[in-house]
Amino acid sequence: TIFAVLAPEISALVGEHADGEEDDFMRGPFPIPAQEALSRELIERFGASWDAFRLDLTVHPFAVPFGLGDIRLTTRYSEDDLHSLFTAMHECGHGLYEYGVSPSLDRTPLCEGVSSALHESQSRLWENVVGRSLPFWRWFYPRVQEAFPEQFADVSLERFHRAVNRAQRGFVRVDADETTYGLHVILRFELEQELIAERLAVADLPEAWNARFQELMGLDVPNDRLGVLQDSHWSGGSFGYFPTYLLGSVLSVQIWEKAREALPDVDDQIERGDFAGLGRWLRENVYAHGRKFTPAETIDRVV
């Protein structure tokens, strides 16, 4: 693919411009109770109701619905960083999609999101399009400063906003910025194609992963926990899933552009911490339809 051809250039540019020392304030420690309180506030403000939603701990975050009134989100925390806030927004996006399906479809095969790519469009929309925007942090950054005054009391909003959007090479896909995220997906997809075609044995995966990761990212993988074993998809049988993250990223922006046309003041709403208008538009145009239409038909209707 074009992206795969450009991957080494992308990696080189990221390595040239990423300056980790500039963002030392992002390295904690961040007490976990405060992270959890902020995560729960975000989920609630985005439109979740705690009589229908849960938020629990796991090794690898995911969301799973058991019905319109039972949406279970999971997350993980580390005192070393604030990735949990973006995890909460990501999984909440999945949950809001399922929560917003029309009640008229309840207890039918149509009562769920229409595809993985559409699902990831919503997790990536809330996590990145909303959650990395300047209007969002104009609202939420004072809460982060209040929760962690030692780290952020003297850090300006603009400096913090640059930090959460800076491209940096890292080992873990779910913590990756929007620029390097695609490199992680390319790596997974190329390796799983080789697995399925039996050109690569399972026993040889760690070595292949480490060599390919070094090629794409320019980093030496220290252990398999940060390497080939970091995602639970393959062990759960979800082969072919990883491209949906990039498809979802593209679709999230297409959907967002239509939302902005319908809601010209959506940035002002987000800056006030008001997500009701955006949530309502997404429910009416995406979530409510469940599986009534094919994925392509659903996107055609929206964009």
Side-chain angles (χ1 to χ4, degrees), residues 187-188 191 205-213 221 227-228 230:
L187 173 62
R188 281 285 182 183
L191 288 177
L205 263 177
E207 181 180 356
W209 175 283
N210 295 348
R212 200 75 57 85
F213 195 87
V221 180
V228 70
Q230 66 179 266

Side-chain angles (χ1 to χ4, degrees), residues 181-253:
Y181 191 91
L183 302 179
H184 292 266
V185 174
I186 285 174
L187 173 62
R188 281 285 182 183
F189 190 47
E190 288 183 347
L191 288 177
E192 69 182 6
Q193 287 183 96
E194 294 178 20
L195 282 173
I196 297 299
E198 297 186 348
R199 295 193 302 268
L200 178 65
V202 174
D204 296 329
L205 263 177
E207 181 180 356
W209 175 283
N210 295 348
R212 200 75 57 85
F213 195 87
Q214 216 293 327
E215 177 186 338
L216 285 174
M217 289 284 199
L219 297 175
D220 294 321
V221 180
N223 56 62
D224 290 340
R225 182 177 63 83
L226 292 175
V228 70
L229 296 179
Q230 66 179 266
D231 282 306
S232 61
H233 299 63
W234 288 349
S235 61
S238 294
F239 288 86
Y241 190 94
F242 286 97
T244 69
Y245 290 115
L246 278 188
L247 290 168
S249 296
V250 173
L251 294 174
S252 72
V253 180

Side-chain angles (χ1 to χ4, degrees), residues 46-48 96-103 122 126 275-290:
F46 280 2
L96 291 174
Y97 190 173
E98 296 292 336
Y99 190 50
V101 176
S102 171
Q122 294 314 291
W126 288 100
F275 304 95
L278 177 60
R280 183 166 51 251
W281 187 89
L282 289 169
R283 283 196 303 275
E284 292 174 356
N285 290 277
V286 183
Y287 306 165
H289 300 308

